[in-house]
Amino acid sequence: DTEVTQTPKHLVMGMTNKKSLKCEQHMGHRAMYWYKQKAKKPPELMFVYSYEKLSINESVPSRFSPECPNSSLLNLHLHALQPEDSALYLCASSHPQRGGNSGANVLTFGAGSRLTVL
Amino acid sequence: QKEVEQDPGPLSVPEGAIVSLNCTYSNSAFQYFMWYRQYSRKGPELLMYTYSSGNKEDGRFTAQVDKSSKYISLFIRDSQPSDSATYLCAITAYGQNFVFGPGTRLSVLP
């Protein structure tokens, strides 16, 4: 299994709603990531979990709340979002900190969850 | 200076052309180099991965890294309309902190 699965594929929510994005991988990767991507821009890092612990938070507003319940799952809880938060939210995973030419240190992305905030 | 620079294009080529996509970077600690292809409204898909300097070939795709010049390239031979996408380079020193180029939009015209 070489996939990162994200649900839902599309989400429309109002500014007062609470919703969650979900991500799952079964590749044994121990680092998982949330990226935000606006149109015609590269992915922008939001959070990194390494061995289920939050290791990087790129000064993301508190209306985005990540959670890593176990080594295969990653959630992003959304609350009181703004229209400018509309974007493609990408989950990715990797093996953290393996050396040499082992094929590690490569990001595998999911297909993304397209979020529209009204 | 940005950590990774990439010509954003757009780049239009006729079908069958050889395409050259390039990134330059500033941090000599980078040692893992990736190329991703992203179709419109989809997630990035890993195309090529190289470790340190050298060439790597996979079918119509060749990735090239020149660490002395801090320059990486992706060559696409016999380009097809299905290659029309945005190509992102991504670089990391040792995992977790992946730096992306802005992406190059490629159109291959039939």
Side-chain angles (χ1 to χ4, degrees):
Chain A
D1 188 353
T2 57
E3 282 192 347
V4 175
T5 303
Q6 288 188 244
T7 56
K9 286 188 174 21
H10 301 277
L11 178 62
V12 179
M13 60 187 290
M15 290 191 286
T16 58
N17 292 158
K18 281 186 182 181
K19 297 285 185 183
S20 296
L21 305 180
K22 296 185 185 302
C23 176
E24 189 168 1
Q25 59 87 15
H26 296 287
M27 295 179 281
H29 289 174
R30 300 309 297 273
M32 295 185 75
Y33 308 72
W34 281 115
Y35 283 86
K36 174 182 176 180
Q37 188 177 29
K38 300 285 264 185
K40 299 183 182 180
K41 297 289 186 185
E44 179 185 329
L45 182 64
M46 300 175 74
F47 302 105
V48 182
Y49 274 82
S50 182
Y51 294 91
E52 296 90 71
K53 289 191 183 345
L54 184 64
S55 61
I56 297 177
N57 177 343
E58 292 287 351
S59 303
V60 178
S62 60
R63 57 186 185 269
F64 295 92
S65 174
E67 178 196 17
C68 190
N70 60 55
S71 61
S72 300
L73 293 174
L74 186 67
N75 298 321
L76 186 63
H77 302 298
L78 314 170
H79 175 53
L81 295 193
Q82 304 296 311
E84 60 264 29
D85 296 321
S86 299
L88 182 67
Y89 287 84
L90 294 162
C91 175
S93 67
S94 74
H95 286 293
Q97 299 188 353
R98 284 192 184 180
N101 199 16
S102 62
N105 295 299
V106 171
L107 278 177
T108 301
F109 282 93
S113 293
R114 183 157 298 280
L115 173 67
T116 302
V117 182
L118 301 176
Chain B
Q1 184 187 10
K2 292 183 182 176
E3 280 198 283
V4 180
E5 309 231 24
Q6 183 178 6
D7 186 343
L11 178 63
S12 291
V13 300
E15 184 174 354
I18 296 174
V19 176
S20 172
L21 303 167
N22 310 295
C23 286
T24 58
Y25 62 94
S26 55
N27 187 344
S28 58
F30 290 138
Q31 54 180 336
Y32 297 93
F33 308 92
M34 288 142 276
W35 284 97
Y36 289 88
R37 176 175 63 195
Q38 187 172 23
Y39 292 113
S40 182
R41 304 173 77 83
K42 302 288 187 186
E45 166 196 11
L46 181 67
L47 267 183
M48 298 288 287
Y49 154 79
T50 49
Y51 167 66
S52 200
S53 282
N55 291 359
K56 186 174 183 178
E57 190 173 317
D58 184 1
R60 296 185 296 111
F61 299 92
T62 299
Q64 193 173 77
V65 175
D66 182 348
K67 289 192 75 180
S68 62
S69 302
K70 298 191 183 68
Y71 190 87
I72 67 171
S73 301
L74 177 70
F75 298 97
I76 307 174
R77 289 184 300 281
D78 187 26
S79 55
Q80 303 295 309
S82 57
D83 295 328
S84 298
T86 296
Y87 290 80
L88 295 152
C89 62
I91 305 176
T92 187
Y94 209 55
Q96 291 207 20
N97 294 308
F98 292 84
V99 183
F100 284 85
T104 299
R105 288 170 56 207
L106 171 68
S107 294
V108 181
L109 307 174

